[in-house]
Amino acid sequence: MFELLLCSMFTILPDFLVRRYVQGKRIGKEITLFSVWYELRYGITACAILTLSLITLIFYFHPSTTNVSSFFRTITILPEKGGRVVEVYVKNDDEVNAGDPLFRIDNRVEREAVAMAEQRIAEIRAQMDVARADIAVAEGNVEQARGAYNQVRDELKVKADLLSRGTNAVSRREVERLEVSLTTRQGGLNAAEASMNVIKTKLDSLLPAQLSNAQASLRSAEADLSKTVVRAGVKGNIQQFALQVGDFVSPILRPAGILIPEKDGETVFLAGFNQISTQVVKKGVITEVSCASLPFEVIPMVVTDVQPVIAAGQFRPSDLLLDITERAKPGTFLVKMVPLYPESIADVPLGSKCAGNAYTNTHAQLENPDIGTGEWLFLHMVQTVGVVHALLLRVQTLLWPIQTLVLTGH
């Protein structure tokens, strides 16, 4: 309507003034309802063409969208394993810090596992103490066997020497008996040393490995026990948390609530523009938004990034062939914006519904010394008609509360 009125001032109105005051035609006489089209046909035709051209020019070079919002992250409060709730430490709307406990589920099985792991560790350490005592016994047995072996060896050496000299004090049978006894003593010494080596290997290798395994089992049991207490991963606000003692929670079947992390860093607004504006809305373009949660305010912003793909064309492999007709609805391309003045969005809640305009900037082209006159006029016209769209956004901002509170009812 605004574009039609603006174009009429340069087409229909001058045509009417010429015919009324220059040609002397009178309203109701020569200019009647039936003769309006014939008398003002040139002005009406020019007005229609100029209006359509102006609307096309405005909406192409200064596109608008009603899909603007500041998205925020939420974290589902879930235990790592299902269980019955036995303690609840927080309530809805509480502010929590990272690491604060939220609730605890039944942990009797986990506590028993920890106790068994601790008992196993104590048992292995007792076995190590016994093995140390066994080593002392084994060392005594080795010394005893070595002494017996040395005694028989020395006796055999003396009697073998006497026998070699031809004396009758020692018989060959006695020497042979000592040789057999020496072999037996050697076997006993080897058995004692082997028994001591077995005990040392058990103390140095087997029992430490079993102790490490038991300690790992204890750490695993303690980790499982710690999982029964669900804690906040980040600082934030608890919402939709109605958990009570006796409720059953599960990481698959039933979450406990939602944690909204504290806002960190700069707030980014995401806008979806029509695909026809892809070549116009670029990084660095100035935009304006108006949000329902902040009536009568227009917030200046700047585009920081443009998503390089359009979500409507994404492909995910499945067991069905893709039918292109299912993608007939054109998607929008995503634009990321931040406020030029961060304090201007201090009162805008995250997730607010907003509408916005983007304005084409032709200053860089206008500064080109080789620009032609026609192009110079066109670029100036593109800049100028942006005022029309900015005015329309402000009119929409003024009417938004009236449409919401009055025209659409409660």
Side-chain angles (χ1 to χ4, degrees):
M1 180 61 70
F2 182 83
E3 291 87 350
L4 181 61
L5 293 176
L6 180 63
C7 294
S8 299
M9 295 177 60
F10 298 97
T11 55
I12 299 177
L13 181 59
D15 195 352
F16 169 76
L17 294 177
V18 169
R19 298 182 186 280
R20 174 68 179 87
Y21 295 103
V22 176
Q23 297 179 359
K25 295 182 179 181
R26 296 167 297 175
I27 299 177
K29 298 295 183 178
E30 292 82 4
I31 301 178
T32 64
L33 182 62
F34 300 100
S35 63
V36 168
W37 163 247
Y38 182 80
E39 295 291 342
L40 304 179
R41 60 188 181 278
Y42 299 109
I44 294 175
T45 303
C47 179
I49 295 174
L50 187 58
T51 300
L52 293 176
S53 301
L54 182 61
I55 293 175
T56 303
L57 184 69
I58 292 174
F59 280 91
Y60 178 77
F61 287 101
H62 309 288
S64 64
T65 179
T66 57
N67 301 312
V68 182
S69 185
S70 54
F71 292 93
F72 58 94
R73 186 168 65 100
T74 61
I75 300 174
T76 304
I77 301 174
L78 287 172
E80 294 192 34
K81 58 185 300 184
R84 190 75 59 182
V85 178
V86 294
E87 284 187 274
V88 179
Y89 306 113
V90 296
K91 58 183 181 298
N92 205 38
D93 294 323
D94 278 357
E95 295 287 340
V96 296
N97 294 314
D100 287 352
L102 304 180
F103 63 91
R104 180 172 68 85
I105 60 178
D106 186 16
N107 59 6
R108 287 175 293 180
V109 175
E110 288 76 15
R111 283 189 284 109
E112 288 295 329
V114 170
M116 291 178 61
E118 291 175 343
Q119 185 176 0
R120 177 61 179 161
I121 290 175
E123 179 183 351
I124 294 174
R125 285 175 175 168
Q127 290 179 2
M128 296 176 73
D129 293 336
V130 173
R132 294 187 185 97
D134 289 342
I135 287 178
V137 174
E139 288 176 346
N141 292 335
V142 169
E143 292 297 327
Q144 183 179 1
R146 183 177 289 111
Y149 171 80
N150 292 336
Q151 182 180 4
V152 174
R153 184 192 60 186
D154 293 341
E155 185 178 357
L156 175 62
K157 182 179 180 181
V158 171
K159 291 187 177 183
D161 183 62
L162 292 175
L163 182 63
S164 65
R165 294 178 183 180
T167 178
N168 295 326
V170 179
S171 66
R172 180 172 295 279
R173 177 64 180 169
E174 185 176 0
V175 171
E176 292 176 350
R177 182 182 60 80
L178 288 174
E179 289 176 346
V180 172
S181 178
L182 181 63
T183 303
T184 303
R185 300 289 181 170
Q186 180 67 53
L189 177 60
N190 293 339
E193 290 178 343
S195 177
M196 184 179 66
N197 290 334
V198 169
I199 298 174
K200 285 185 176 180
T201 301
K202 182 179 180 180
L203 181 62
D204 295 339
S205 301
L206 178 61
L207 291 178
Q210 292 179 346
L211 180 61
S212 298
N213 187 29
Q215 290 173 338
S217 298
L218 176 61
R219 291 192 296 270
S220 177
E222 289 175 341
D224 290 338
L225 179 61
S226 66
K227 292 176 183 178
T228 60
V229 178
V230 179
R231 301 178 180 273
V234 297
K235 183 178 181 181
N237 180 265
I238 301 292
Q239 291 295 325
Q240 299 181 20
F241 188 85
L243 203 62
Q244 295 182 356
V245 174
D247 290 347
F248 185 86
V249 292
S250 168
I252 299 177
L253 299 178
R254 182 186 175 187
I258 293 176
L259 175 62
I260 301 176
E262 184 182 41
K263 183 175 69 173
D264 54 345
E266 195 171 29
T267 300
V268 177
F269 283 72
L270 301 179
F273 284 91
N274 193 287
Q275 294 185 29
I276 200 171
S277 304
T278 305
Q279 304 304 318
V280 175
V281 182
K282 301 291 185 180
K283 183 177 180 180
V285 169
I286 299 298
T287 61
E288 289 182 327
V289 299
S290 173
C291 299
S293 58
L294 189 63
F296 308 116
E297 293 288 340
V298 176
I299 305 171
M301 295 199 172
V302 61
V303 175
T304 59
D305 197 9
V306 178
Q307 186 170 277
V309 296
I310 297 176
Q314 62 183 317
F315 168 74
R316 179 178 298 173
S318 67
D319 57 347
L320 297 176
L321 290 175
L322 177 65
D323 187 349
I324 198 65
T325 58
E326 297 178 356
R327 306 297 179 91
K329 182 180 179 181
T332 59
F333 69 97
L334 191 65
V335 174
K336 300 178 182 179
M337 306 181 296
V338 297
L340 286 176
Y341 310 102
E343 63 276 6
S344 61
I345 61 168
D347 297 327
V348 179
L350 295 176
S352 296
K353 172 69 174 178
C354 306
N357 288 346
Y359 302 103
T360 298
N361 187 350
T362 62
H363 287 296
Q365 296 94 316
L366 290 171
E367 292 176 357
N368 185 2
D370 299 328
I371 189 173
T373 303
E375 184 179 359
W376 183 86
L377 290 174
F378 176 76
L379 294 178
H380 269 291
M381 182 173 60
V382 169
Q383 289 279 81
T384 304
V385 296
V387 178
V388 178
H389 219 178
L391 180 60
L392 293 177
L393 178 63
R394 282 152 178 79
V395 172
Q396 181 181 354
T397 302
L398 293 174
L399 295 179
W400 204 339
I402 299 175
Q403 292 174 343
T404 302
L405 301 176
V406 180
L407 301 182
T408 59
H410 297 285

